[in-house]
Amino acid sequence: MPAFHIVVLNKLAPKHLDMIEAAAPGSTVVSCSLEAALPEMDKADILLAWGFNDIRPLFLSSSRLRWVHSLSAGVEKLIFAEMRRNDCLLTNSRGIHGIPVSEHVLAMMLAFSRGLPTCAKQQQAHLWRRVPSDEIHNKTIGILGLGSIGREIAKKAKAFGMNVLAMKREQTSELFVDRLYKPHELPELLQQCDFVVVSLPLTEETQHLLTLEHFRAMKPSAYFINIARGEVLVEADLITALQEGLIRGAGLDVFAEEPLPAASPLWDLPNVIITPHTAALSPYYLDRAIKLFADNLTRLIHDREMFNIVDKTKGY
Ligand code: OXD
């Protein structure tokens, strides 16, 4: 059985090292920071990195790298020109985010609906004042992008009694979606939603997909939630939409620039919930990510079809 030199840009617990050792006995696993990885690259066969890591210098100094696995779902920073041209395999961690991200989306919808951001501010001021409270039951959610995350959001939204609409390129039969819309029908979908949730990958096609005209198409009472990537929309247009009351509020986990600059108006807009790109995080993240990688390593060794191979042209 082949043994590999595997460089991981994250600290791994002994249980994770054991999972890799069980898949490829005798392999060497170096778990280190991006800076410490450079001297390892002439020996590395496999690199595990986060989607936000700038791995280009590592990639260029490697001589035998055959596989880069992204611990994230998003890989937009990992597909640079040399990677695109090279036949190095690129895989990602799509499929493991559904539970935490859908819980994050539900938390944001419920927080808006129950007035929790206002209650939290009032609590700081020791202020007892009733706030308007609504229900998400019977409300309409529009999910843009129906991959594994979008589907899990649809399932939970249905369990809360919501009317579930979704935008998807292919027309598939979906258990938890009441109606599917094609991308060209987006304005029609947006007009009906009380909550619009973006769960699309960032690609050339989806970059800056949502602009002022889309926010104008939404109801003034609608909430916009983005757990995908900041660049899927024109952020300045979202700020205008919030400032002009075109929509009621936004729950944002991702931004055009991260960390969100201190000067961004988003910080101070009322009815905006900001989370620092944590929607996918949970204590179980690395357990799931390393299991997926170890399963794929077994598949590589046994020459079986691998999971989650990224199409470098499509970008996901
Ligand atoms: C990811 C993310 O891409 O958490 O994995 O944003």
Side-chain angles (χ1 to χ4, degrees):
M1 201 181 279
F4 302 101
H5 194 86
I6 304 172
V7 177
V8 186
L9 303 186
N10 200 84
K11 199 166 165 31
L12 293 185
K15 63 179 173 179
H16 300 136
L17 294 170
D18 289 349
M19 284 157 90
I20 299 176
E21 170 66 21
S27 292
T28 309
V29 180
V30 180
S31 86
C32 61
S33 65
L34 183 75
E35 296 70 36
L38 204 55
E40 296 295 328
M41 292 317 292
D42 55 340
K43 293 182 284 226
D45 303 294
I46 303 172
L47 174 68
L48 271 73
W50 292 96
F52 53 79
N53 288 143
D54 177 13
I55 64 159
R56 189 168 170 269
L58 303 183
F59 185 83
L60 295 183
S61 68
S62 68
S63 49
R64 42 184 293 161
L65 194 65
R66 56 190 285 197
W67 177 15
V68 173
H69 176 71
S70 169
L71 291 165
S72 314
V75 286
E76 61 281 354
K77 290 218 170 74
L78 305 183
I79 309 183
F80 37 87
E82 295 84 354
M83 167 64 91
R84 209 185 277 267
R85 284 198 296 269
N86 195 290
D87 60 6
C88 176
L89 190 64
L90 178 63
T91 54
N92 71 2
S93 295
R94 67 177 176 264
I96 65 166
H97 297 64
I99 293 172
V101 176
S102 61
E103 289 189 8
H104 204 85
V105 168
L106 260 292
M108 282 179 165
M109 292 200 298
L110 290 167
F112 281 129
S113 174
R114 305 306 300 167
L116 299 190
T118 310
C119 289
K121 280 186 203 124
Q122 291 184 177
Q123 184 178 346
Q124 299 224 321
H126 295 195
L127 190 63
W128 179 277
R129 188 186 286 155
R130 287 201 159 151
V131 299
S133 293
D134 204 339
E135 299 177 359
I136 64 170
H137 179 81
N138 267 342
K139 296 286 189 304
T140 298
I141 180 174
I143 304 169
L144 313 187
L146 206 61
S148 59
I149 294 176
R151 282 205 179 93
E152 194 63 34
I153 296 169
K155 181 169 136 192
K156 291 197 167 84
K158 248 303 144 232
F160 274 82
M162 298 184 84
N163 176 33
V164 182
L165 313 180
M167 183 188 82
K168 189 168 187 282
R169 236 185 337 210
E170 305 85 27
Q171 296 297 292
T172 45
S173 100
E174 298 291 335
L175 204 51
F176 302 109
V177 178
D178 296 298
R179 182 160 169 204
L180 275 179
Y181 290 76
K182 297 240 176 71
H184 73 270
E185 298 172 309
L186 179 58
E188 195 189 326
L189 180 158
L190 294 176
Q191 283 161 20
Q192 305 173 61
C193 296
D194 300 298
F195 295 91
V196 174
V197 179
V198 189
S199 54
L200 287 162
L202 177 65
T203 65
E204 276 168 18
E205 230 173 293
T206 62
Q207 186 169 31
H208 297 155
L209 175 77
L210 297 171
T211 62
L212 200 54
E213 65 171 300
H214 296 102
F215 294 111
R216 276 195 212 289
M218 293 179 203
K219 296 183 193 173
S221 56
Y223 290 99
F224 175 79
I225 295 177
N226 189 5
I227 45 77
R229 283 294 181 267
E231 295 94 322
V232 169
L233 54 112
V234 177
E235 199 168 84
D237 288 357
L238 170 65
I239 292 170
T240 304
L242 288 161
Q243 285 168 336
E244 293 185 2
L246 302 180
I247 56 173
R248 188 184 288 168
L252 306 171
D253 187 54
V254 287
F255 303 88
E257 187 183 341
E258 293 180 9
L260 181 63
S264 169
L266 287 170
W267 287 112
D268 296 312
L269 283 172
N271 256 357
V272 173
I273 298 178
I274 290 176
T275 53
H277 204 146
T278 51
L281 298 190
S282 98
Y284 316 107
Y285 190 94
L286 272 183
D287 297 349
R288 295 181 181 131
I290 298 301
K291 178 173 183 320
L292 173 71
F293 168 71
D295 286 351
N296 243 354
L297 190 53
T298 308
R299 286 173 173 262
L300 175 79
I301 291 167
H302 296 286
D303 215 12
R304 293 210 305 267
E305 200 186 333
M306 290 170 69
F307 300 124
N308 291 7
I309 295 183
V310 173
D311 179 331
K312 295 181 198 167
T313 312
K314 285 193 187 151
Y316 61 94

